[in-house]
Amino acid sequence: MVKGLRGGGQISDLSGKVVLLTGATRGIGRKAAHGIAPTGATIVVVGRDKERVDMLISELEQIEGCGPVHGEICDLLVQKEIRSLADRFNNQFDRLDVLINNAGAIFTKKITTVDGFERTWALNHNAYFLLTSLLKDKLLTTPDSRVISTASDAHVPGRMGWDDLQYERRGNRNGWSSYCQSKLANILFTKELAKKLEGTSVTANCIHPGFVNTGFSRNNGIIGRLLMALTWPVQRNSTKGAETIVWLAISDKARQHNGDYLYNCKLGRLTKAAKNEEDAARLWLLSEEMTGTSGVW
Ligand SMILES: NC(=O)c1ccc[n+]([C@@H]2O[C@H](COP(=O)([O-])OP(=O)(O)OC[C@H]3O[C@@H](n4cnc5c(N)ncnc54)[C@H](OP(=O)(O)O)[C@@H]3O)[C@@H](O)[C@H]2O)c1
């Protein structure tokens, strides 16, 4: 039995269960992997750099009670790579108990991906949607499986620019606007996913980790690093930032949530835009087109 979880509930031995986690090599994802490891679950950690993935595996293997850890290399900005990650996973594992869509970033400089999408949208939304869709059958055939997505309170100023989701015409305030839109999309995605999964035993929830001291924004040169350094006093550490993900992944009490947005293991506040069911359905259809997954759901 693992003790000391905020949010409460009993954590059972999760040996034999399988958890797949993206963005595992740094920040919130890394600490989520640390938090899940003592349950004995098989953890599949996804990263884009083999050295960082191998380093994480060695770290996790030193944690008492840690089960098997598998590393997967995937650049989530590239849909072809996500498809081959899903193929490898589907061939190797016969179950998926917890899928954690966590990898994400803000980009101050606009770059279009090989698939033709603005990269914040590609990484923070399309990758969550595509990976979840490709793992749908595994989730459905695993009893009581869970999907957890890392969203953010940055959804508050977020607006869905339906005729310009890729920021080809709108001003993007150094990447902040598209970041906020993508985090709003994470919540709409979760709400519609929970709806699609009604009548099954799969639950889907998303979280706000707080403002966390991680590698976030440090990919944006000196200004990005400076911003994170200057705001350090109001940031929480990544163990704290990962707490709600860990709780949703391993606590029996967390099963009461479905289609919810959580912060500190409790219901978080949502804007009107994040509760808009029509927008959630509209986003779903567009996401199917953007990821070539029409007919999967
Ligand atoms: N930090 C905050 O205050 C905060 C607040 C609200 C929400 N969030 C959300 O929390 C999530 C995790 O962010 P974090 O703060 O932990 O940032 P982080 O320390 O920069 O971690 C981001 C993770 O995503 C991975 N990643 C980035 N681009 C990738 C790609 N193209 N392919 C595969 N993996 C990729 C990174 O891998 P590498 O190791 O290869 O870089 C890293 O493991 C994000 O969704 C973010 O939007 C963060």
Side-chain angles (χ1 to χ4, degrees), residues 63-232:
I63 294 175
E64 204 188 325
C66 181
V69 187
H70 296 255
E72 283 292 346
I73 311 303
C74 176
D75 182 350
L76 295 162
L77 280 170
V78 183
Q79 294 194 3
K80 197 168 148 202
E81 291 206 20
I82 300 177
R83 288 182 179 279
S84 68
L85 163 69
D87 283 347
R88 292 194 300 275
F89 182 88
N90 283 325
N91 289 331
Q92 196 178 347
F93 296 93
D94 59 4
R95 59 187 299 142
L96 176 55
D97 296 273
V98 187
L99 166 62
I100 306 172
N101 291 307
N102 167 72
I106 184 168
F107 300 101
T108 51
K109 213 165 142 200
K110 189 182 167 195
I111 291 187
T112 303
T113 66
V114 287
D115 303 300
F117 300 100
E118 184 275 317
R119 66 182 161 163
T120 314
W121 184 260
L123 179 66
N124 296 6
H125 172 67
N126 277 352
Y128 285 23
F129 188 90
L130 179 57
L131 187 59
T132 308
S133 299
L134 298 172
L135 299 177
K136 175 194 164 203
D137 291 344
K138 222 42 110 182
L139 288 163
L140 284 177
T141 51
T142 306
D144 298 334
S145 57
R146 309 172 183 200
V147 180
I148 303 162
S149 298
T150 305
S152 169
D153 264 4
H155 79 274
V156 172
R159 292 289 168 268
M160 299 306 295
W162 294 113
D163 57 355
D164 188 23
L165 287 173
Q166 306 304 312
Y167 280 86
E168 278 153 353
R169 294 180 300 280
R170 289 187 285 166
N172 197 356
R173 292 193 295 157
N174 290 323
W176 175 242
S177 300
S178 60
Y179 180 73
C180 297
Q181 175 184 258
S182 72
K183 291 291 140 182
L184 172 59
N186 294 158
I187 300 167
L188 295 173
F189 159 65
T190 299
K191 295 218 161 277
E192 190 66 13
L193 178 62
K195 223 183 225 182
K196 298 264 178 221
L197 293 168
E198 263 169 27
T200 75
S201 68
V202 191
T203 56
N205 293 291
C206 59
I207 66 114
H208 169 52
F211 186 26
V212 193
N213 184 8
T214 64
F216 186 77
S217 188
R218 294 181 209 270
N219 53 306
N220 293 309
I222 183 110
I223 302 285
R225 290 198 292 275
L226 204 65
L227 265 176
M228 287 305 273
L230 290 174
T231 49
W232 176 79

